[in-house]
Amino acid sequence: MLKNWGAAAICAIALCTGTGAAVAQPSSPAGLPGTVNADVRLKLERDGRLTVTEVVTVPEGRTATRLVPLRIAVGDDRERVYEVVGASVEGEGTARASAEGLTIALRAGISTVAYEVVGAVAKIGDTLELRWQPAGGWDVALDSVKVSVITPDAPRSVNCLAGEPGTSTPCTTADLGDGRGVRATEIGLAAGERVDVAVGLQDGAAPPNARVAETSRWASAFALTPATGAGLAGLVLLLLGGVALLWYLRGRDARAMAADIGPVDVLVADGAGRVAFASPDGVLPGQVGTVVDEHVDVVDVTATIVDLAVRNYLWIEEVGGLDWRFVRRNPADPSLSGYERAVYAALLPDGVDGVLLSELRGRRIDLSRVRDELYADVVARNWFARRPDAERSLWWWAGIGVGVLGAVLTAVLVLVGAAALFGLVVVVAGVALALGARFMPARTGRGSALLEHVRGLRGYLRTANPEDIPERDREMVFSRSLPYAVVLGEVERWLAAFSGARPGLYWFGEAEQGRFADRFPAFLGAVDGVLAQAGHLRSLKG
């Protein structure tokens, strides 16, 4: 005990009689080997500036970084503002000060950090208070923190707090030294914890220079905090998870249509040597377009009209080279799918046996039933688990709902001055969900397999040679394949391949013989235009 009292007496004498050199050169911090330790000397000058010297020991193989905020909230809409000038490091590291904070980054060894603080002296009633955090914001644990404070006049009180910001746990030791000194020690300061020292002084010891700034509710509400930072990180993880899920659900589809593939065998021969066209998985032309792009498009209906003519339900006749007539050949029977019957009824309603395409331009065709039947059809064929349009709509409205909820949450958080940035995170998540709704429809395994077959079908349309088909079967193979060429955008290639080998067509009447290859693209364009005017369908494939 006598030894301890002797040490205390020596410290008191040193504080009272210490020279400027002693102030500038604090002793190296002591501590256990392999630990981070800090020895901090604070000196309040007569002009109110606080000079700070930190001697920090960092063991070999380690680094230490300190982030000191210089704007500290002291109320709902007020901040205490400090200013740090002249930050420097003697040793292994760097120090940089900005209006928002002081950053100290140290490497292994003993480093001396020096800087000045303006704004540490506040007027409280008829006394002054010197306040600063000599330790805090370190990203590593400190084995020990030793603090000494020298003031122009004898200090009247000292209050030292240690631990998490906002806690009121006292430091391990804190006392007034003889004369002008204050000493404090904290043993074992965890990463992120702080030591906060407040020294009471008599009025006149130094001019008060504390500055308190008003903060807008908006600025504080949208400040980046650990909570909002965690929310942003969570959003990134959510978006990455969504991308991974979409890749899993749709990656096989993207691979299925990404590159060329060899043609599939869609020509079948019977025992008598006749050759016929058979589509993969029995898919119809309108179904092909819907499975490929998950939308019912105008071209899907146009291809269906051509297919109905090829299968002898309709007769298409060119009239004067500028118009075309649709004539009923056979009634719609149960062998037609629901969407095909809807297309048939839209062109030739009950009691109408023929109609000009020009007449359809003036008649409002309702294709909503065609759309609904075709979406239902691809689900019934197990190419989609749910209707693609319903799936898109569900996710779009879900995104809108989340976005609106986020906007309301943002407004509420702004009003109460809380972390409104979290509400913006919810808004962004909702917008991302709404924008990603078009990617949500996912094909089944059978639907993805069909895409592979469609690639092969496209390869067949691009490479088929009429000479490989018996002459007596060429008209039928050409005609049965043509609707698929329409929906897959291979009409020009298909017409060119059969231009010299195609006999007269049984389902299309030409105003002038031999002009089918020239006039058929104009027919398709005219039909697309009429159907696009009807609405309910997309005019272009997406």
Side-chain angles (χ1 to χ4, degrees), residues 205-218:
N209 56 9
R211 184 162 66 92
V212 177
E214 299 290 333
T215 59
S216 68
R217 190 178 297 272
W218 283 87

Side-chain angles (χ1 to χ4, degrees), residues 41 54 66 81 94 99 124 144 169 176 183 185 260 266 294 296 326 356 385 400 402 404 423 446 453 520 536 540:
R41 178 71 61 85
E54 302 182 18
R66 184 184 182 201
V81 181
T94 60
I124 301 178
S144 68
T169 304
L176 296 173
R183 296 185 297 265
T185 303
D260 291 334
V266 295
E294 302 166 350
V296 177
F326 300 99
L356 289 171
I400 294 299
V402 172
V404 170
R446 181 177 176 181
H453 295 312
F520 187 69
H536 303 291
L540 296 175

Side-chain angles (χ1 to χ4, degrees), residues 277-505:
F277 173 87
S279 64
D281 202 11
V283 65
L284 297 169
Q287 296 167 339
V288 167
T290 304
V291 170
V292 167
D293 67 9
E294 302 166 350
H295 288 85
V296 177
D297 302 313
V298 164
V299 70
D300 302 335
V301 180
T302 300
T304 300
I305 292 173
V306 175
D307 191 49
L308 289 174
V310 168
R311 290 155 59 194
N312 277 319
Y313 288 96
L314 300 175
W315 164 261
I316 301 174
E317 180 182 16
E318 188 177 14
V319 180
L322 298 174
D323 203 355
W324 291 266
R325 178 183 291 114
F326 300 99
V327 180
R328 186 191 303 268
R329 261 191 170 175
N330 290 296
D333 55 41
S335 64
L336 294 180
S337 66
Y339 84 88
E340 289 178 313
R341 288 194 295 271
V343 171
Y344 193 93
L347 284 181
L348 298 172
D350 291 340
V352 177
D353 292 328
V355 64
L356 289 171
L357 184 61
S358 57
E359 294 174 347
L360 293 178
R361 288 193 179 95
R363 188 177 73 181
R364 193 68 176 175
I365 303 176
D366 185 6
L367 296 179
S368 58
R369 183 186 163 206
V370 175
R371 178 198 59 198
D372 293 340
E373 290 284 355
L374 190 45
Y375 278 133
D377 190 73
V378 295
V379 173
R381 295 292 299 271
N382 195 31
W383 292 321
F384 289 91
R386 289 171 295 278
R387 284 180 51 149
D389 61 332
E391 193 85 355
R392 284 188 295 270
S393 179
L394 172 64
W395 286 102
W396 189 84
W397 282 110
I400 294 299
V402 172
V404 170
L405 177 63
V408 173
L409 178 61
T410 301
V412 172
L413 292 176
V414 167
L415 291 176
V416 300
L421 194 57
F422 182 76
L424 289 185
V425 169
V426 179
V427 172
V428 172
V431 172
L433 193 61
L435 294 177
R438 67 192 190 98
F439 299 108
M440 291 306 179
R443 299 169 187 85
T444 62
R446 181 177 176 181
S448 295
L450 178 61
L451 284 184
E452 291 283 351
H453 295 312
V454 168
R455 286 175 60 195
L457 176 58
R458 178 174 284 161
Y460 153 75
L461 293 171
R462 291 175 177 176
T463 60
N465 186 353
E467 299 302 322
D468 297 333
I469 304 171
E471 185 174 354
R472 59 182 175 176
D473 297 322
R474 286 176 188 168
E475 178 186 10
M476 181 61 69
V477 171
F478 170 81
S479 298
R480 290 301 304 274
S481 304
L482 184 58
Y484 296 90
V486 171
V487 80
L488 291 174
E490 299 293 338
V491 171
E492 183 177 350
R493 163 68 183 81
W494 192 245
L495 293 176
F498 282 80
S499 60
R502 181 191 55 77
L505 295 177

